[in-house]
Amino acid sequence: MTTNEKNLNLDNIYQEVNKRRNFAIISHPDAGKTTLTEKLLLYGGAIQQAGAVKARGNQRKATSDWMEIEKQRGISITSTVLQFEYEESVVNLLDTPGHQDFSEDTYRTLAAADNAVMLEDAAKGLEPQTRKLFEVCKLRKIPIFTFINKMDRPGRDPLSLLDEIESELKLTTLPINWPIGSGDQFRGVVDRINEEVILFDKAKRGAQSQEKRISLNDKNLTNYIEEELLNNTLEELELLDEAGAKYEKDKVFRGDLTPVFFGSAMTNFGVRPFLDSFLNLAKKPSSRSSNQGDIEPTKNKFSGFVFKLQANMDPKHRDRVAFIRVCSGRFEKDMSVKHSRTGKVIRLSRPQKIFGQDREVVDDAYAGDVIGLNNPGMFSIGDTLYTGSHLEYEGIPCFSPEIFSWLRNPNPSAFKNFRKGVNELREEGAVQILYDVDESKRDPILAAVGQLQLDVVKHRLKNEYGVDSSLETMAFQLARWVTDGWTVLDDVGRIFNCKIVKDCWNRPVILFKNEWNLNQIIEDHPKLNLSKVAPVVSGVQPIDL
Ligand code: G4P
């Protein structure tokens, strides 16, 4: 490549990265994630009609044996990545499972996200799943944008919703707009930046709403909004102007200050202004730490990492797809890349963009994009792919499971297949596997963050490996990694009321019955340093069953 070509290439990468915004939505089931996603896609022209994201009821067709579980339960457990263009931007929305029994996939997806949108139901405020996902965002220090949804329904006082975020999540709030009333009395929002009122007008479901804006100083405002309601809003705004936080880009980028938006996804109110502001304030793909220091997204060499593996997305092919988050350079179809864990060179011949259940071959991709690669079993979660000199991104940590179960094999003659299934499902990251320290107890312990994850493992063992298995729930609810390893445990001596096991990297993990039990043990054994998140490993092979 001549110097001129090189510069042109760099210019092009720079422009493409600049256009990209990537985010995931964190929320509790029913807060309106599917509805908001549909509306966002509508603005991007990615779907013609809202309602296409999650076909409900009988419309939903199973697309694999394993997705049969989804069909039976009418839920969506598979994460997908949706990309759409909106004005000058290319937006990547990393979708996360919406069911309560969500799995570690959700956590891992956040490892590939540059921004998070925290979606709350205005009547409910913070809910358990949102809090859990928030913890992961905090760990990664990613910017968080808050969308308070369902303003067309009676909700909690907006100031108390903000107080809750501030006091419980220790996150400073910055309302970008402010609601005028709620429920039957919802009249719209005040756009605080432009000092305009955006009037609420129920759009037909699925349609793009027409925004009606009036200056906040317009004398005719009371033609649209009851005087008392307007005065209340003006008072609240004054309070926010005086005592509220000011915009500080660095604080938003560090995840310490959250811009807040009020709206109603179902009636398509406030979605477009949210999207506009979000794209303006969100973090672009930025540098990532690796063994070579921070890697800039505009670097000339391609790199990326595997953050999710999924099997049987398409029953006709019984394939496995590895999802790669591109971190730098340009990805091109048919390019050869190096696989850092094995040192092998791989030709990426069938890269795909996966949109819901549809696939499309990608020709190129840039930092912030996600591509799906057919995975012939060589990729593991956290693997780095790169061109140029050796590069390894920081791995994806394992998050603390909350459900533990022995996985029994009732049929010893089927042990070979049972073992194969367990090892492959672990490799894929479908579940975490722990082992008893007593080696005579060979059955593995499944550790998950949701019951559904365990049901999926059982179902897949039967369907894909032809083996029966049974689950035997263990009476533990918490796991902590012993950060200083086995020797500390020897020093500490016997610990009661909990169970010591090892993970597949041979690291000690303690299982506790409950929070109280955990606190008691921390108090009794001050030498024990315990961690909720497993340290990242690299360069070692895991223990198979
Ligand atoms: P999720 O993906 O976060 O689980 O939530 P989803 O979008 O499926 O929304 C959950 C329910 O909340 C749906 O009602 C949806 O229509 C409703 N909803 C979402 N946004 C709003 C909003 O802004 N205002 C109001 N009033 N409702 C909202 P459903 O009865 O479960 O389903 P459907 O029959 O309406 O499709």
Side-chain angles (χ1 to χ4, degrees):
M1 205 185 270
T2 64
T3 316
N4 219 1
E5 278 170 339
K6 234 182 192 166
N7 286 342
L8 269 175
N9 195 25
L10 275 175
D11 263 5
N12 178 263
I13 294 177
Y14 180 80
Q15 281 171 13
E16 292 292 339
V17 170
N18 246 346
K19 281 200 239 171
R20 270 147 176 91
R21 301 290 183 279
N22 146 323
F23 72 104
I25 300 179
I26 60 169
S27 65
H28 194 82
D30 262 1
K33 184 168 67 77
T34 312
T35 315
L36 180 67
T37 304
E38 282 171 4
K39 300 294 149 81
L40 290 172
L41 294 179
L42 198 63
Y43 287 110
I47 49 171
Q48 295 310 311
Q49 197 194 347
V53 173
K54 184 170 80 177
R56 296 181 173 94
N58 294 335
Q59 279 167 290
R60 191 172 174 79
K61 292 196 184 69
T63 47
S64 78
D65 299 346
W66 157 42
M67 286 177 199
E68 185 68 23
I69 295 191
E70 297 187 312
K71 197 185 78 167
Q72 285 161 10
R73 302 194 186 180
I75 51 165
S76 163
I77 49 173
T78 48
S79 316
T80 48
V81 183
L82 307 167
Q83 186 181 67
F84 61 94
E85 288 185 25
Y86 174 71
E87 297 187 343
E88 299 300 301
S89 308
V90 176
V91 187
N92 287 304
L93 167 52
L94 309 182
D95 194 15
T96 47
H99 191 262
Q100 191 131 16
D101 277 339
F102 74 122
S103 64
E104 289 158 271
D105 270 357
T106 318
Y107 289 151
R108 293 192 202 112
T109 297
L110 291 173
D114 295 326
N115 301 276
V117 170
M118 180 164 82
L119 181 68
E120 275 190 20
D121 179 329
K124 297 188 176 148
L126 285 176
E127 294 181 84
Q129 197 156 306
T130 322
R131 286 175 221 259
K132 277 194 212 167
L133 294 168
F134 169 79
E135 287 294 323
V136 182
C137 295
K138 200 165 130 190
L139 208 68
R140 291 209 44 235
K141 294 189 168 39
I142 58 175
I144 296 171
F145 296 80
T146 304
F147 188 90
I148 299 188
N149 191 28
K150 305 199 187 181
M151 289 306 295
D152 58 301
R153 287 226 300 239
R156 283 172 46 189
D157 167 39
L159 282 171
S160 87
L161 289 169
L162 298 194
D163 270 357
E164 185 177 61
I165 296 174
E166 301 228 348
S167 59
E168 287 196 31
L169 306 184
K170 309 279 174 271
L171 183 61
T172 311
T173 56
L174 172 66
I176 303 292
N177 65 27
W178 192 250
I180 310 170
S182 78
D184 286 347
Q185 289 213 311
F186 184 54
R187 300 288 171 259
V189 292
V190 176
D191 168 345
R192 293 181 68 207
I193 294 166
N194 296 310
E195 301 197 335
E196 283 174 335
V197 172
I198 311 176
L199 287 172
F200 176 54
D201 168 28
K202 273 193 188 181
K204 265 201 230 107
R205 259 188 161 191
Q208 296 201 21
S209 72
Q210 294 299 318
E211 257 173 42
K212 185 157 187 180
R213 287 178 173 255
I214 307 180
S215 160
L216 193 55
N217 304 314
D218 194 313
K219 299 270 178 303
N220 296 324
L221 258 184
T222 44
N223 292 348
Y224 302 97
I225 304 164
E226 298 85 332
E227 205 166 340
E228 197 188 328
L229 208 53
L230 185 63
N231 287 339
N232 275 349
T233 309
L234 292 174
E235 265 171 39
E236 285 170 342
L237 282 170
E238 217 167 283
L239 194 78
L240 288 176
D241 286 345
E242 276 166 23
K246 300 279 172 283
Y247 174 68
E248 283 175 71
K249 187 170 153 188
D250 289 349
K251 274 181 112 178
V252 173
F253 280 13
R254 279 201 309 269
D256 290 333
L257 176 69
T258 181
V260 180
F261 303 81
F262 291 84
S264 158
M266 190 187 82
T267 56
N268 205 351
F269 179 78
V271 177
R272 187 180 194 123
F274 163 71
L275 183 58
D276 287 334
S277 288
F278 169 75
L279 295 177
N280 192 16
L281 302 175
K283 199 170 179 183
K284 290 174 208 162
S286 57
S287 59
R288 282 210 166 227
S289 358
S290 77
N291 65 338
Q292 301 286 334
D294 284 353
I295 304 295
E296 289 301 323
T298 48
K299 187 181 165 202
N300 204 2
K301 302 278 182 221
F302 161 79
S303 69
F305 66 90
V306 179
F307 69 94
K308 180 183 159 68
L309 297 174
Q310 195 166 321
N312 290 345
M313 289 194 68
D314 182 345
K316 280 179 280 183
H317 302 105
R318 294 194 78 78
D319 57 353
R320 296 169 88 184
V321 176
F323 288 88
I324 319 284
R325 145 86 200 217
V326 180
C327 296
S328 71
R330 177 195 289 123
F331 168 84
E332 281 167 83
K333 182 168 156 285
D334 289 331
M335 81 192 298
S336 291
V337 299
K338 283 185 208 138
H339 181 236
S340 75
R341 194 165 44 86
T342 58
K344 286 191 178 142
V345 174
I346 315 169
R347 185 156 168 262
L348 304 178
S349 50
R350 279 184 55 207
Q352 296 169 336
K353 228 183 248 178
I354 301 191
F355 186 93
Q357 307 300 351
D358 300 329
R359 297 157 180 224
E360 173 189 313
V361 172
V362 281
D363 292 323
D364 55 7
Y366 300 86
D369 289 344
V370 169
I371 46 174
L373 297 174
N374 276 322
N375 173 27
M378 83 172 3
F379 298 134
S380 292
I381 303 277
D383 284 357
T384 302
L385 302 178
Y386 64 94
T387 59
S389 54
H390 181 257
L391 180 70
E392 205 165 315
Y393 282 109
E394 256 180 18
I396 300 178
C398 292
F399 295 97
S400 179
E402 292 167 20
I403 297 180
F404 306 89
S405 181
W406 289 107
L407 181 71
R408 307 286 189 203
N409 167 27
N411 187 0
S413 64
F415 184 70
K416 221 170 131 199
N417 276 358
F418 177 77
R419 176 163 63 186
K420 184 169 190 279
V422 170
N423 291 337
E424 289 189 3
L425 292 175
R426 178 194 46 74
E427 229 170 63
E428 194 184 297
V431 71
Q432 287 184 49
I433 303 282
L434 303 172
Y435 302 101
D436 202 302
V437 278
D438 174 355
E439 300 208 340
S440 66
K441 295 189 179 148
R442 286 184 82 182
D443 288 338
I445 298 167
L446 303 187
V449 298
Q451 177 64 36
L452 189 66
Q453 229 177 311
L454 303 187
D455 296 345
V456 166
V457 168
K458 194 165 174 273
H459 187 89
R460 289 184 60 187
L461 281 174
K462 175 83 188 152
N463 279 275
E464 293 166 35
Y465 300 91
V467 289
D468 285 316
S469 60
S470 65
L471 295 167
E472 195 180 306
T473 312
M474 298 170 85
F476 299 103
Q477 288 178 3
L478 296 167
R480 294 290 181 268
W481 276 266
V482 181
T483 21
D484 302 318
W486 294 103
T487 38
V488 175
L489 277 177
D490 293 341
D491 284 357
V492 166
R494 190 139 189 212
I495 311 175
F496 293 95
N497 284 326
C498 60
K499 184 171 177 65
I500 299 172
V501 294
K502 59 183 180 190
D503 72 1
C504 66
W505 307 100
N506 196 23
R507 297 175 299 195
V509 180
I510 310 183
L511 308 185
F512 301 94
K513 294 201 168 113
N514 49 40
E515 200 80 37
W516 187 86
N517 176 214
L518 165 69
N519 290 336
Q520 191 69 35
I521 285 167
I522 293 177
E523 219 170 90
D524 292 351
H525 303 283
K527 269 193 184 167
L528 270 185
N529 286 322
L530 300 175
S531 165
K532 238 182 175 177
V533 180
V536 169
V537 275
S538 62
V540 227
Q541 288 306 317
I543 313 171
D544 273 337
L545 175 65

